[in-house]
Amino acid sequence: MNPTQGKKKKIRLLFVCLGNICRSPAAEGIMCGIIEKNGLQDLIAVDSAGTSGWHEGELPDERMRLHGEKRGYDFCSRSRKLRKDDLSAFDYILVMDENNLRTVRAMTASKEEAEKVHLITDYLMQFRKLHNHIPDPYYGEASGFELVLDLLEDACEGLLLTIKKDHLLT
Ligand code: 4NP
């Protein structure tokens, strides 16, 4: 018997921002926590990438890590640049703002790939209608990092509800 028979392919999520050191690694860490809390780690895989390669190989920004630690997260991914083959490999590509959306859409090779790309704020629940992007905190103050975490915690819970519905998960 084929050893992969009966083994379901994981649903793959990719979070994308500009530098892959603030917003998208935070989204990756938050989503991993939610997936574990729901016992879905065998079914859903998460990664993140940047539209730029400016911080390739770096850990998330120190400020993002510290704000995350205060909420019990350990953001420890390494920055990497988004590749064209990510668009075929991942099932949901979640971007943080309109700039990311334009860049990623321009990289898509088919309607099928374009349909995988969504603004993460489309999944907001509590903050729905109040924010249409995740503001870039890089040049801002501490409150900007807290806002990023508040929005991502809300949107990632909403995203999981959509994934559960799309894939008939309980
Ligand atoms: P991110 O934030 O896109 O959320 O990772 C930024 C990180 C770095 C820069 C800009 C935004 N930068 O200009 O280097």
Side-chain angles (χ1 to χ4, degrees), residues 33-89:
I34 293 172
I35 288 168
E36 271 179 32
K37 193 177 74 189
N38 283 267
L40 294 169
Q41 57 275 16
D42 293 337
L43 294 181
I44 306 176
V46 186
D47 195 4
S48 66
T51 55
S52 79
W54 300 337
H55 296 277
E56 197 97 54
E58 292 177 22
L59 280 169
D61 184 282
E62 187 73 41
R63 296 164 295 172
M64 192 80 256
R65 299 192 74 194
L66 286 172
H67 283 275
E69 266 171 32
K70 284 198 264 167
R71 298 188 189 204
Y73 302 111
D74 177 20
F75 301 143
C76 58
S77 56
R78 292 281 175 175
S79 176
R80 74 170 179 88
K81 188 174 181 183
L82 179 70
R83 301 183 301 265
K84 245 179 166 320
D85 65 0
D86 288 322
L87 302 171
S88 55

Side-chain angles (χ1 to χ4, degrees), residues 47-137:
D47 195 4
S48 66
T51 55
S52 79
W54 300 337
H55 296 277
E56 197 97 54
E58 292 177 22
L59 280 169
D61 184 282
E62 187 73 41
R63 296 164 295 172
M64 192 80 256
R65 299 192 74 194
L66 286 172
H67 283 275
E69 266 171 32
K70 284 198 264 167
R71 298 188 189 204
Y73 302 111
D74 177 20
F75 301 143
C76 58
S77 56
R78 292 281 175 175
S79 176
R80 74 170 179 88
K81 188 174 181 183
L82 179 70
R83 301 183 301 265
K84 245 179 166 320
D85 65 0
D86 288 322
L87 302 171
S88 55
F90 286 86
D91 304 298
Y92 295 82
I93 297 162
L94 295 315
V95 301
M96 302 293 140
D97 61 32
E98 287 285 342
N99 276 332
N100 308 150
L101 190 63
R102 266 193 299 278
T103 308
V104 178
R105 277 202 180 136
M107 289 171 71
T108 57
S110 64
K111 186 163 174 274
E112 190 195 343
E113 286 187 3
E115 283 173 354
K116 298 176 180 181
V117 188
H118 310 273
L119 263 170
I120 185 68
T121 44
D122 289 349
Y123 301 96
L124 284 172
M125 299 187 293
Q126 273 172 262
F127 290 97
R128 176 169 289 282
K129 297 197 173 130
L130 297 175
H131 295 268
N132 60 7
H133 69 287
I134 306 292
D136 183 349

Side-chain angles (χ1 to χ4, degrees), residues 17-24 54-55 136-139:
C17 61
L18 173 62
N20 192 212
I21 54 167
C22 295
R23 293 165 292 173
S24 61
W54 300 337
H55 296 277
D136 183 349
Y138 192 69
Y139 292 106

Side-chain angles (χ1 to χ4, degrees), residues 22-31 60 64 73 75 148-149 152 156:
C22 295
R23 293 165 292 173
S24 61
E28 178 182 350
I30 288 167
M31 196 66 194
M64 192 80 256
Y73 302 111
F75 301 143
V148 166
L149 293 174
L152 289 175
C156 285

